[in-house]
C-alpha cells in the first residue's frame, strides 16, 4: 500500500567546482538554507574536492561525479538525476546547458532552476519552481 505521506522535496545542486568564489559560497549558503527548510539537498560537482567542501553541513549530500570539468559531466549528472530523482536541478547560469542536457539524457521530470549567484533570490526561484513546498 503506498504511503499517504508525501515524499520530501529533493533538490540537486550542481556546481562546476567547490572553489572559494562568491557565487560558489552563495550556492553553499543556498544549500544550507534549503536544508533548514526541510528540503533534501545533494551538492553535485565534477570533482568533489575544493575549499568549500569542508563548509558543507554533513546533512547535505555530496556527490562527486569523478569528472575533470563541468562540460564533461552531463552524462554522469543524468545518471544522478535518474537514480536520485530530485524534483529540481539547480545550476549556475554559466553551465545551465549541462543541466538541460542532463535532464534530457536522463529523461528526467525534474525542473531546472538557473541560479543567479544570490542565495536569497535563488531560494525564491527554487521555492517558486517547486512542485510542492512544505
Amino acid at each position: 500500500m503506498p504511503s499517504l505521506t508525501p515524499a520530501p522535496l529533493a533538490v540537486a545542486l550542481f556546481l562546476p567546482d567547490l572553489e572559494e568564489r562568491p557565487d560558489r559560497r552563495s550556492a553553499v549558503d543556498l544549500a544550507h538554507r534549503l536544508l533548514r527548510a526541510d528540503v533534501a539537498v545533494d551538492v553535485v560537482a565534477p570533482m568533489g574536492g575544493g575549499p568549500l567542501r569542508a563548509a558543507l553541513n554533513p546533512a547535505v549530500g555530496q556527490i562527486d561525479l569523478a569528472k575533470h570539468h563541468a562540460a564533461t559531466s552531463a552524462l554522469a549528472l543524468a545518471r544522478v538525476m535518474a537514480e536520485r530523482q530530485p524534483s529540481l536541478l539547480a545550476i549556475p547560469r554559466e553551465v545551465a546547458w549541462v543541466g538541460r542536457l542532463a535532464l534530457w539524457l536522463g529523461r528526467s521530470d525534474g525542473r531546472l532552476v538557473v541560479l543567479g549567484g544570490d542565495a536569497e533570490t535563488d531560494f525564491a526561484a527554487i521555492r517558486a519552481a517547486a512542485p510542492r513546498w512544505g
Side-chain angles (χ1 to χ4, degrees):
M1 179 172 182
S3 172
L4 298 177
T5 306
L9 179 63
V11 174
L13 178 57
F14 179 81
L15 298 176
D17 56 59
L18 292 172
E19 294 301 317
E20 182 65 61
R21 295 178 31 188
D23 58 334
R24 304 300 189 257
R25 172 61 66 181
S26 176
V28 168
D29 293 343
L30 174 63
H32 293 154
R33 179 150 185 207
L34 288 166
L35 194 63
R36 287 191 303 273
D38 292 326
V39 174
V41 183
D42 287 324
V43 170
V44 184
M47 292 300 264
L52 289 180
R53 181 176 187 158
L56 285 169
N57 183 314
V60 173
Q62 297 180 38
I63 300 174
D64 182 345
L65 299 178
K67 301 293 178 187
H68 290 289
H69 305 286
T72 60
S73 299
L75 188 56
L77 181 57
R79 274 194 305 272
V80 169
M81 295 300 293
E83 290 171 8
R84 308 220 17 128
Q85 298 183 356
S87 302
L88 299 169
L89 172 60
I91 191 164
R93 184 174 317 281
E94 73 264 19
V95 290
W97 67 272
V98 174
R100 285 187 197 95
L101 182 57
L103 290 172
W104 180 76
L105 288 170
R107 297 182 178 143
S108 174
D109 292 331
R111 297 177 185 179
L112 183 71
V113 176
V114 178
L115 303 175
D118 175 68
E120 189 72 28
T121 305
D122 293 339
F123 182 80
I126 288 172
R127 190 171 182 150
R132 64 191 176 283
W133 190 266

